[in-house]
Amino acid sequence: MRDVAVVAFAQSPGMAADRQDDMAEILLPVMREALASAGIDRSEVDFWASGSHDFHEGRTFAYIESLDAVGAWPPISESHVEMDAAWAAYEAWSWLQLGEGEIAVVYGVGRGSLAQDLDQVTNTQLDPYFLAPLRPHQDAIAAIQAQALIAAGALDEKQMAEVVARARAGAVGNPAAQVSGEVTVDELLAAPYLASPLREHDRGPIGDAAAVIVLAAGDTARRLAQRPAWMRGADHRMDSHYPGTRDLTRTDTVGIAADKAARQAGFAARDVDIAELHTEYSYQEPLLAGALELSGAINPGGGPLVARPTTATGLIRIGDAARHILTGRADRTLAHATNGPALQQNMICLLEGDR
């Protein structure tokens, strides 16, 4: 197996809804920025991988539209996952390790605002016989998990508000953020409930955006980046899609994925300087931080609680974790991505820079 690194990352500004641009138009400037940052053009790319949801677009094979920003002639080697593009990055990482090529580009385009009722989409992830017909909305399922943690004494609403306050403060100056600014814990706790114990600010704002990372192997990575962010280990684990069969106060799949990734990387989650966690709700940060035994900074730019473009958020976690290394801010970082109800699927990626 060869060493593979992130050598460039770019993302578009956070927008609640983009009704002016189609999928390719959102992606194109971000793609150009990422390729320019790596100092390459599309002819040098050996593999393309993407993630998006046709459900959000309301039409089949909608992701094909994004290829207008890539260019499909001459013919390209390309793959697509119908979920967060973090899983496309996992595929590209594996592909490069096997020696199939030298450079891969991964992109995600999130257009969650297109669905008039996003819960009609998220319900398709649930058990189709017993749970989906009840049409529980995603915030209600998240609220059940948050309430389970509170009942177990592992969390309280003040801690959730503190997570939000820190995220919004960290997002000041972050062009990708949809919300930012100083806010007090008392102000947050005074807001009405969305689905008790969750308030509107406890969930990340869904928006439209694109993100692109460039991966390269071995000496190619060293040529394209002064300090590559080496993906030392990554693993993905999934739990039941029926929340009622799980202990919602635990995230066993996170711990398993972290252990598997640590064996590959040679260091554990607890050893990283910065962690970028895919926290779609505020209560998930202390839950994940505890499971991973984190002691460093978490989502210093605000994370998904200030911008959550569907199917691109997990990829952005990998991109941000890599950027901390590319810019010399950190030596070791962790990226976490999730998909499905109540942290059903979890991926852990451990990255490291040359010391």
Side-chain angles (χ1 to χ4, degrees):
M1 294 292 186
R2 299 187 302 170
D3 290 335
V4 175
V6 178
V7 297
F9 168 59
Q11 68 181 107
S12 57
M15 296 182 65
D18 187 339
R19 292 294 180 269
Q20 179 178 348
D21 302 316
D22 62 21
M23 188 182 291
E25 290 169 333
I26 294 174
L27 176 62
L28 183 58
V30 186
M31 182 68 72
R32 287 174 172 169
E33 180 183 348
L35 294 178
S37 179
I40 60 174
D41 61 44
R42 62 175 299 275
S43 66
E44 299 175 72
V45 178
D46 301 304
F47 183 60
W48 305 80
S50 61
S52 65
H53 271 325
D54 287 353
F55 277 93
H56 293 175
E57 301 285 329
R59 54 200 171 101
T60 58
F61 289 101
Y63 83 93
I64 294 296
E65 181 180 278
S66 68
L67 292 177
D68 287 343
V70 173
W73 185 265
I76 61 173
S77 178
E78 181 267 341
S79 181
H80 175 263
V81 298
E82 180 67 23
M83 61 193 303
D84 194 289
W87 274 262
Y90 189 76
E91 178 183 358
W93 175 67
S94 302
W95 190 90
L96 288 171
Q97 284 187 93
L98 293 173
E100 298 290 340
E102 296 297 320
I103 300 174
V105 170
V106 183
Y107 64 91
V109 184
R111 298 222 288 173
S113 73
L114 286 183
Q116 185 176 3
D117 180 4
L118 196 57
D119 285 316
Q120 290 182 344
V121 175
T122 56
N123 277 341
T124 62
Q125 298 176 323
L126 303 174
D127 172 82
Y129 302 106
F130 301 105
L131 192 53
L134 300 177
R135 299 178 59 82
H137 58 85
Q138 56 184 330
D139 298 327
I141 293 177
I144 290 172
Q145 186 170 39
Q147 185 57 50
L149 289 163
I150 291 174
L155 186 68
D156 59 43
E157 293 183 31
K158 182 180 179 182
Q159 286 177 273
M160 292 159 56
E162 289 171 346
V163 169
V164 175
R166 188 177 68 253
R168 294 198 174 186
V172 174
N174 179 1
Q178 291 176 228
V179 292
S180 64
E182 300 288 340
V183 62
T184 68
V185 170
D186 289 339
E187 289 173 332
L188 294 171
L189 290 175
Y193 286 117
L194 172 69
S196 180
L198 301 178
R199 297 170 170 85
E200 181 69 36
H201 56 254
D202 285 309
R203 66 173 181 179
I206 292 175
D208 299 347
V212 178
I213 68 170
V214 180
L215 296 171
D219 291 338
T220 302
R222 296 182 178 90
R223 174 173 60 85
L224 298 181
Q226 184 175 0
R227 191 173 193 248
W230 300 103
M231 293 178 64
R232 298 299 193 192
D235 194 75
H236 158 229
R237 300 287 148 166
M238 63 184 293
D239 214 324
S240 168
H241 68 327
Y242 194 92
T245 64
R246 293 190 261 151
D247 179 353
L248 295 180
T249 66
R250 299 169 58 90
T251 54
D252 293 337
T253 56
V254 172
I256 294 171
D259 287 343
K260 297 287 187 180
R263 291 178 190 177
Q264 301 169 36
F267 61 91
R270 70 177 72 91
D271 300 323
V272 304
D273 305 310
I274 300 173
E276 292 287 345
L277 304 180
H278 191 162
T279 49
E280 298 187 349
Y281 295 90
S282 61
Y283 76 87
Q284 293 175 345
E285 181 176 309
L287 176 60
L288 292 168
L292 294 168
E293 301 179 6
L294 298 176
S295 58
I298 298 175
N299 294 347
L305 290 178
V306 299
R308 180 165 60 108
T310 54
T311 71
T313 303
L315 183 66
I316 292 171
R317 306 276 62 75
I318 296 175
D320 275 343
R323 181 156 51 191
H324 296 313
I325 293 172
L326 290 166
T327 59
R329 183 177 182 182
D331 293 320
R332 288 174 172 171
T333 60
L334 176 147
H336 161 261
T338 189
N339 206 84
L343 297 169
Q344 180 214 358
Q345 302 196 47
N346 292 282
M347 180 192 299
I348 298 295
C349 178
L350 295 173
L351 300 94
E352 184 179 37
D354 292 323
R355 293 176 180 270

